[in-house]
């Protein structure tokens, strides 16, 4: 899942440079949110340095996209809370 999400983020970023498309930007934000969440949940916390900026980018897009995406901000906030047991 991690490698597939990395590929998705990279692909969406590459395409978004050439074309501004709301659906593409939405998918990029979602892929960043999912990959950032996955990386922050990995044992050892080493991937947090990569995961946190991805979540920050997703959060920035969701905040700028308007109130209809406010529910995603809850997911971003939840992803930043360490799982219990750590």
């Amino acid at each position: 899942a991690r490698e597939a999400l990395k590929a998705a983020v990279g692909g969406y970023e590459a395409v978004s440079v050439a074309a501004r498309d709301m659906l593409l930007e939405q998918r990029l934000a979602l892929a960043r949110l999912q990959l950032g969440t996955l990386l922050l949940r990995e044992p050892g916390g080493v991937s947090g340095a990569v995961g946190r900026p991805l979540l920050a980018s997703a959060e920035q897009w969701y905040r700028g996209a308007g109130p209809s995406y406010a529910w995603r901000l809850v997911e971003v906030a939840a992803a930043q809370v360490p799982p219990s047991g750590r």
Side-chain angles (χ1 to χ4, degrees):
R2 178 182 174 176
E3 295 307 314
L5 284 169
K6 277 185 179 181
V9 169
Y12 288 138
E13 286 175 342
V15 172
S16 70
V17 170
R20 283 311 210 202
D21 178 275
M22 182 68 160
L23 182 58
L24 174 66
E25 291 179 12
Q26 178 184 4
R27 288 181 177 167
L28 175 56
L30 180 57
R32 285 175 171 161
L33 171 59
Q34 292 173 337
L35 179 57
T37 300
L38 182 66
L39 291 173
L40 286 179
R41 297 291 183 250
E42 287 186 348
V46 176
S47 300
V50 176
R52 279 186 287 281
L54 288 169
L55 290 176
S57 294
E59 180 179 15
Q60 180 181 7
W61 188 86
Y62 288 127
R63 286 193 186 284
S68 61
Y69 289 96
W71 64 279
R72 286 284 191 195
L73 295 173
V74 174
E75 290 183 32
V76 172
Q80 295 175 21
V81 175
S84 59
R86 271 198 181 176

